[in-house]
Amino acid sequence: MTGFKGKTILINDGTGSFGGYFVNYLLDKKFKEVRVFSRDELKQEEMRLRLENSAIGFYVRDGRDRDSVDDVMAGVDYVFHAAALKQVPTCEFFPMQATQTNVVGSQNIINSAISHGVSKVISLSTDKAVYPVNALGITKALMEKVVQSTSRKLFQGQTILSLVRYGNVLFSRGSVIPLFLKQIREKKPITVTEYEMTRFLLPLKEAIQLVGFALQNGRQGDIFVCNAPSANIGDLAQALKNIFSSDSEIKIMGIRHGEKLHETLVSKEELLRSEDMGGYLRLSMDDRDLNYKKYLSEGDKKVIQTEDYTSQNTTRLTVPKIEEMLLAQPEIIAELKNQEL
């Protein structure tokens, strides 16, 4: 990823899993300033003390408040919008909070970026936005539509709004692997929803690479996804058991509120507007206007002869392959070292 030299970069939720990793990634990129934007004052303080870098500014702000966003947007070149309520059960029980953060907050970020002449905004979405069955997916799908509807109103030379969409990021906050590790460490049963449930798996490093690809190649309203493997949740638990020589049993708990058995990363309708860019897909937005009359007479002549891109029909990792992926992650390496002490 290139192009950060001399730039001012705003990371919304700069203290989250993606944001924290991205700040570390940027440290040697000769940027002018990185602005860490979040509501988490404790994590901001911890990051500030750890980095001790005067070119990184910390702003305790709420993206749901437009004035709060405007205060830190002036002079920004690139915005990386990662803030969201991301836990499926939490969003199920507090859907209006999910709407305020994931939809209204996103609109605030992009409108502020446009009014301040920001060059590019990359917004982070999730596979749960495709055929959404829960409040998290619904609000993320709406976030995508907000970005694309705003994109349609912009002219050449204005802020470029694009998105990335990916599945489960390994070791992101609230994800399943840290929970499994905690249960293994405490010699408790590993609680699995359904053994055959599948999820896309993406290391944080590859999520950063996807965002960088979108930054370099994004056009108005584009969504970028990367070709990602998946795994059975039960096999993921077994791989962790093998790595740590654990005797913990795998206990099936049943599907939680709002969960799917399999996730969809790209719908078959989107695949019709996709472009293979070598490891990444560019999904162009539907740019038809509101003149529906012509579609009643002409219609869409494309015939859908494909299937959705799901965690069930993508490359499925075996237990040894899951172990190989996990053993390359710094969090697993650190956990194994701690086990040796």
Side-chain angles (χ1 to χ4, degrees), residues 170-183 185:
L170 301 182
F171 298 97
S172 58
R173 189 163 56 191
S175 62
V176 72
I177 295 177
L179 171 63
F180 288 173
L181 287 177
K182 182 176 184 291
Q183 291 169 335
R185 200 180 303 121

Side-chain angles (χ1 to χ4, degrees), residues 167-208:
N168 289 22
V169 175
L170 301 182
F171 298 97
S172 58
R173 189 163 56 191
S175 62
V176 72
I177 295 177
L179 171 63
F180 288 173
L181 287 177
K182 182 176 184 291
Q183 291 169 335
I184 288 172
R185 200 180 303 121
E186 296 174 354
K187 302 186 184 303
K188 293 180 178 179
I190 302 173
T191 53
V192 169
T193 49
E194 291 289 345
Y195 198 102
E196 297 301 321
M197 177 181 283
T198 60
R199 289 294 182 266
F200 291 100
L201 298 181
L202 190 71
L204 262 169
K205 181 179 179 180
E206 293 183 22
I208 297 292

Side-chain angles (χ1 to χ4, degrees), residues 147-324:
V147 171
Q148 293 184 328
S149 68
T150 307
S151 296
R152 294 188 184 97
K153 305 170 189 174
L154 298 177
F155 301 100
Q156 189 168 356
Q158 289 187 276
T159 306
I160 295 176
L161 308 176
S162 56
L163 303 116
V164 298
R165 185 195 290 161
Y166 48 66
N168 289 22
V169 175
L170 301 182
F171 298 97
S172 58
R173 189 163 56 191
S175 62
V176 72
I177 295 177
L179 171 63
F180 288 173
L181 287 177
K182 182 176 184 291
Q183 291 169 335
I184 288 172
R185 200 180 303 121
E186 296 174 354
K187 302 186 184 303
K188 293 180 178 179
I190 302 173
T191 53
V192 169
T193 49
E194 291 289 345
Y195 198 102
E196 297 301 321
M197 177 181 283
T198 60
R199 289 294 182 266
F200 291 100
L201 298 181
L202 190 71
L204 262 169
K205 181 179 179 180
E206 293 183 22
I208 297 292
Q209 291 171 348
L210 172 61
V211 167
F213 189 84
L215 182 68
Q216 293 175 334
N217 297 280
R219 306 169 308 194
Q220 291 293 9
D222 280 343
I223 300 176
F224 292 91
V225 302
C226 62
N227 296 322
S230 71
N232 290 356
I233 297 301
D235 286 349
L236 178 60
Q238 185 61 52
L240 286 166
K241 281 189 60 173
N242 295 348
I243 289 171
F244 292 98
S245 302
S246 170
D247 293 327
S248 295
E249 67 168 317
I250 296 175
K251 185 176 180 181
I252 306 300
M253 304 294 291
I255 294 177
R256 303 180 302 171
H257 286 84
E259 284 190 320
K260 294 180 182 179
L261 190 60
H262 309 291
E263 293 287 1
T264 303
L265 190 57
V266 186
S267 71
K268 54 182 175 292
E269 293 83 7
E270 290 174 319
L271 285 171
L272 290 172
R273 305 192 303 272
S274 70
E275 175 187 356
D276 190 340
M277 302 185 74
Y280 301 100
L281 287 178
R282 182 209 302 270
L283 312 178
S284 301
M285 69 175 174
D286 186 341
D287 59 359
R288 292 176 292 180
D289 59 29
L290 286 174
N291 182 15
Y292 289 139
K293 185 175 181 180
K294 62 184 178 183
Y295 301 119
L296 293 176
S297 58
E298 297 177 9
D300 191 338
K301 295 183 174 63
K302 293 180 181 178
V303 178
I304 300 173
Q305 294 179 328
T306 187
E307 59 181 349
D308 304 318
Y309 176 25
T310 75
S311 58
Q312 188 178 27
N313 62 21
T314 190
T315 301
R316 189 85 58 86
L317 297 177
T318 62
V319 171
K321 286 295 183 181
I322 299 171
E323 291 178 33
E324 184 180 328

